[in-house]
Amino acid sequence: MSGSILSAFASPPHDRWFEDYVPGQRYRFGRIEVREDEVIRFATEFDPQPFHIDAEAAASSPFGGLIASGWHTASLVMRVLVDHYVSLVAGLSSPGIDELRWLAPVRPGDVLTVGVDILEARRSRSKPDRGIVTARVTAYDESDQPVMTLQAVNLFASRPV
């Protein structure tokens, strides 16, 4: 996908509608630090594998140290998407995501940003008051290395007439 990368939509989240999600647009959002205490807390509750919750055990794992659960990484990315991508007035739902991939370990101290490439925006045939937006979402670490990708599908209401 070509074109310059934007840091914000032209319209704010409280006035962002389906029509504002333009195929070909590229965005880069957020700056979220991965904290060790949060890595351990999240994993202790939801993904208690030794390389997520125990620094000593993690040191002798194939990862050579503590890493965040992929589900924790996905949650951090979701936070950035809600803060910067999702409309506060037109966001209707999401039927799901496709192609979720964890490409590299995320470690305490990493700082993540989130790229969004809008791939497709089409009006619903059955409900013309809304549209379906498909976007490629990529989480990057501070070295600009992709650490996670997914394809998001969102439903957004159309701008009122």
Side-chain angles (χ1 to χ4, degrees):
M1 190 163 280
S2 63
S4 62
I5 298 174
L6 305 170
S7 61
F9 279 82
S11 53
H14 63 274
D15 190 30
R16 187 176 306 146
W17 303 89
F18 165 71
E19 292 80 5
D20 298 308
Y21 296 87
V22 178
Q25 290 290 342
R26 303 179 77 199
Y27 298 92
R28 191 75 170 259
F29 305 120
R31 181 173 155 60
I32 192 160
E33 185 174 346
V34 180
R35 294 183 23 211
E36 183 172 340
D37 62 321
E38 292 175 351
V39 166
I40 293 169
R41 186 173 346 149
F42 182 95
T44 297
E45 186 167 353
F46 300 109
D47 190 358
Q49 298 180 71
F51 44 81
H52 296 321
I53 63 172
D54 181 335
E56 190 174 311
S60 61
S61 78
F63 302 107
L66 201 64
I67 64 168
S69 165
W71 298 111
H72 184 192
T73 302
S75 295
L76 294 171
V77 168
M78 187 66 203
R79 179 61 206 225
V80 171
L81 292 174
V82 169
D83 288 347
H84 298 280
Y85 176 74
V86 175
S87 168
L88 297 177
V89 293
L92 298 175
S93 67
S94 171
I97 61 170
D98 295 314
E99 303 173 21
L100 173 62
R101 299 289 182 266
W102 293 297
L103 306 173
V106 172
R107 300 179 184 280
D110 283 353
V111 177
L112 304 179
T113 57
V114 178
V116 177
D117 295 335
I118 300 180
L119 304 175
E120 180 182 35
R122 62 181 173 81
R123 192 164 304 277
S124 169
R125 282 176 262 174
S126 61
K127 297 180 181 178
D129 65 333
R130 64 196 66 186
I132 303 154
V133 176
T134 303
R136 166 68 56 199
V137 176
T138 305
Y140 299 92
D141 67 14
E142 66 280 356
S143 300
D144 215 30
Q145 175 184 4
V147 296
M148 188 188 90
T149 59
L150 62 88
Q151 189 164 296
V153 180
N154 293 91
L155 303 174
F156 295 104
S158 296
R159 183 172 274 108
V161 178

